[in-house]
Amino acid sequence: MEFIMAILAGILFTTGIYNLLQKQMLRIIIGTGLISHGAHLFILTMGELKTGERGAPPILTEGVESYTDPLPQALILTSIVISFGVTSLLLVLAYRASKINGTDNMEQLRGNDYE
């Protein structure tokens, strides 16, 4: 299961980097979102996915031998909140820049007139 999740996270990283290298701002923002989703999957995979046996909730009680590790879940939750904030900031900046300049092409925004 970890191998499939690692392959899926790699595909998300690959498509995210491909979108980061595009000229339109919206594709760049989508690329940052895909890279953050890939990071979420990698963090989840590092937490050792358990397919056969399930751990108990991380509450100390008597008679429970194996607990689920809460650290990957906390890291993913924090990462989701941070990526939501970054994505919303990028969307607002892209909207404002496209309204002022009339384009979302990065080459035209830099002042290069490549078509």
Side-chain angles (χ1 to χ4, degrees):
M1 186 72 174
E2 284 90 0
F3 183 71
I4 295 170
M5 294 292 277
I7 294 293
L8 184 60
I11 290 171
L12 284 173
F13 274 119
T14 303
T15 56
I17 290 173
Y18 175 76
N19 279 329
L20 278 178
L21 298 174
Q22 300 298 313
K23 292 182 182 180
Q24 291 83 17
M25 273 197 284
L26 187 60
R27 287 187 183 213
I28 294 170
I29 295 169
I30 290 172
T32 59
L34 288 173
I35 288 175
S36 69
H37 288 312
H40 299 159
L41 282 179
F42 266 134
I43 292 171
L44 183 66
T45 305
M46 287 189 312
E48 296 180 3
L49 300 173
K50 297 178 182 177
T51 56
E53 64 182 67
R54 294 181 53 159
I59 300 171
L60 296 176
T61 58
E62 294 183 23
V64 178
E65 294 296 322
S66 67
Y67 293 100
T68 303
D69 188 15
L71 185 63
Q73 297 171 8
L75 288 174
I76 290 171
L77 184 61
T78 305
S79 178
I80 288 171
V81 170
I82 290 170
S83 65
F84 176 74
V86 168
T87 303
S88 63
L89 175 71
L90 288 175
L91 283 172
V92 168
L93 289 176
Y95 177 74
R96 182 74 175 158
S98 67
K99 278 296 202 184
I100 290 173
N101 298 314
T103 184
D104 69 338
N105 191 338
M106 291 303 291
E107 293 296 327
Q108 292 175 355
L109 289 174
R110 286 188 190 117
N112 302 335
D113 290 331
Y114 300 115
E115 290 287 330

